[in-house]
Amino acid sequence: MNSQELIELTKDLIYQATHFNVPYVKEAYADKLLIVKVDEEGVVDTMNKEQLVAFIQGNSDANAEPLSSKTEYHYAVVDGDMGMVVITRELVFDGKLNRKFFTVIWEYLSGRWQVVKESSIVRS
């Protein structure tokens, strides 16, 4: 795996997750997943894999419109069985456009690359 391949893997992840592909999400995210989100007031919220899958499943069951997959890629690096991608995403939640700065940490586990950590912060 090299940096460009990790970017391509992340592009696929974003597309599948924003289109609420539950089986893909269950495979792509590690069981030990931790997502940390910091809002514009500095309030921290966390999510684990079970919560993420429930969110994706709920949107899938509701036939929700896909979320935006618009993404800027700033940096990607692979070091052995770990990789990191730094991106900015544009997402609309509750009718409001949010630009979020994300760091996605990948690890090669059980014969495949999986997301183990993800953080996001609102970007102005």
Side-chain angles (χ1 to χ4, degrees):
M1 176 74 69
N2 64 38
S3 296
Q4 188 56 47
E5 291 168 330
L6 190 64
I7 288 171
E8 294 304 317
L9 187 62
T10 304
K11 285 180 181 179
D12 192 40
L13 171 78
I14 291 168
Y15 178 85
Q16 298 298 333
T18 58
H19 286 75
F20 312 120
N21 181 338
V22 176
Y24 182 95
V25 166
K26 286 181 178 178
E27 288 291 312
Y29 287 89
D31 290 341
K32 65 180 180 178
L33 175 69
L34 174 63
I35 297 174
V36 178
K37 301 176 280 183
V38 182
D39 72 13
E40 52 275 348
E41 281 86 41
V43 176
V44 175
D45 187 25
T46 63
M47 183 182 283
N48 61 27
K49 182 177 180 176
E50 182 180 318
Q51 293 165 318
L52 174 64
V53 170
F55 170 77
I56 298 293
Q57 185 70 60
N59 281 290
S60 176
D61 293 347
N63 291 318
E65 285 291 317
L67 299 173
S68 170
S69 58
K70 184 175 180 181
T71 307
E72 294 174 56
Y73 290 83
H74 304 294
Y75 184 78
V77 64
V78 177
D79 184 10
D81 63 352
M82 298 291 296
M84 179 177 71
V85 180
V86 179
I87 58 179
T88 298
R89 302 256 343 267
E90 286 190 4
L91 303 161
V92 176
F93 285 114
D94 300 323
K96 185 173 113 179
L97 177 67
N98 287 289
R99 285 177 47 88
K100 291 190 173 192
F101 183 72
F102 282 81
T103 300
V104 181
I105 307 294
W106 293 84
E107 187 174 357
Y108 192 77
L109 299 166
S110 304
R112 67 185 190 281
W113 286 91
Q114 299 177 60
V115 176
V116 292
K117 304 280 187 277
E118 185 177 292
S119 69
S120 68
I121 187 166
V122 175
R123 181 176 172 186
S124 51

